[in-house]
Amino acid sequence: MSTTYTFKRIEKKFLMTREQYDKLLPILKEHLKEDAYGETTVCSIYYDTPDLYLLRRSVERPFFKEKLRLRSYGVPSKDSAVFVEIKRKLDGVGYKRRISLPYSEAIALLRGKDVPSENPQIKKELLTFINRYRPVPALFLSYDRLALYDPTNPDFRVTIDRHMRYRTEHPEIPDVQNTHPLLGDDDRVLMEIKSSSAIPLWLAVSMSQLGIYQAPFSKAGTCYTQHMAGQRPGSAASALNTQFSFVTDAGTT
């Protein structure tokens, strides 16, 4: 599968118990194949204003919202390829624009510096966003993801996220160490169906039989409402002095 840099699709989310997940997974694997990433640990650093404007706005479920993040598949080193992404939602439809860069260059871009890119238009959009909000690292999220797709319809994708965890202390460090379970002791699993078309009948029937129903859920939004809402305005600014300083330590995280 080739890398995609722009997306327009509807994302439907389903929170499952571990028992439901164990029963649904064999059915999914009968019809779908693992994508190029397969099973991996996703690391995401969400950027926000010092008063967490973007997260606050997101949980209000407005007609339009947007967020900025750095995403890696696996814990990145200095030269790893990572994505810098703007993710927007307009009237329930998700749009994503991203570029892939070496980690050190992604860091430079997120600090507002112009860097070479094979996607100059998307890079320009990212710089416009960064110059507008002047964001700093606000939240680190990680989870173990299984990514599947329909070989007869590559537009149809299913992702399964387990072991969802977060860190607000030193969120600029993309490492799974010293993180906290996002849902506490609740070991639920998040499934996302990402497609511009309808859910296949075989999957709709299987989910109905297992009692799996769509429910609104945002990992970043949940983290904000449960763990960050009382945070002092401006506290994210403390990340400015430590932002990306770990990159110089032996060149890796």
Side-chain angles (χ1 to χ4, degrees), residues 146-163:
L146 171 63
L148 305 166
Y149 75 102
D150 184 346
T152 66
N153 178 19
D155 174 66
F156 183 82
R157 300 185 69 246
V158 174
T159 58
I160 306 287
D161 296 338
R162 297 174 293 120
H163 306 133

Side-chain angles (χ1 to χ4, degrees), residues 45-47 68-70 78 82 84 103-113 130 135-138 170-174 238-249 251-253:
I45 301 173
Y46 286 79
Y47 286 74
L68 174 71
R69 68 189 178 199
L70 182 151
K78 181 179 178 181
V82 300
V84 182
Y103 190 52
S104 57
E105 293 183 19
I107 289 170
L109 178 68
L110 287 161
R111 299 182 80 170
K113 296 181 179 180
I130 291 165
V136 297
H170 295 292
E172 73 281 1
I173 301 176
S238 63
L240 281 170
N241 293 327
T242 56
Q243 186 179 17
F244 312 122
S245 60
F246 62 95
V247 175
T248 61
D249 298 336
T252 60
T253 58

Side-chain angles (χ1 to χ4, degrees), residues 133-150:
Y133 288 107
R134 302 291 180 180
V136 297
L139 170 65
F140 172 75
L141 281 173
S142 183
Y143 39 89
D144 298 328
R145 167 166 286 188
L146 171 63
L148 305 166
Y149 75 102
D150 184 346

Side-chain angles (χ1 to χ4, degrees), residues 70-129:
L70 182 151
R71 168 162 289 186
S72 67
Y73 294 87
V75 178
S77 64
K78 181 179 178 181
D79 299 319
S80 298
V82 300
F83 293 101
V84 182
E85 306 176 338
I86 296 176
K87 189 172 183 181
R88 298 183 171 102
K89 183 167 284 190
L90 177 65
D91 195 21
V93 179
Y95 301 83
K96 186 160 67 175
R97 309 272 286 172
R98 68 183 186 179
I99 60 175
S100 178
L101 292 169
Y103 190 52
S104 57
E105 293 183 19
I107 289 170
L109 178 68
L110 287 161
R111 299 182 80 170
K113 296 181 179 180
D114 198 350
V115 298
S117 171
E118 295 180 354
N119 295 277
Q121 177 57 42
I122 298 178
K123 181 189 69 173
K124 182 178 178 181
E125 294 173 27
L126 286 162
L127 285 171
T128 298
F129 186 105

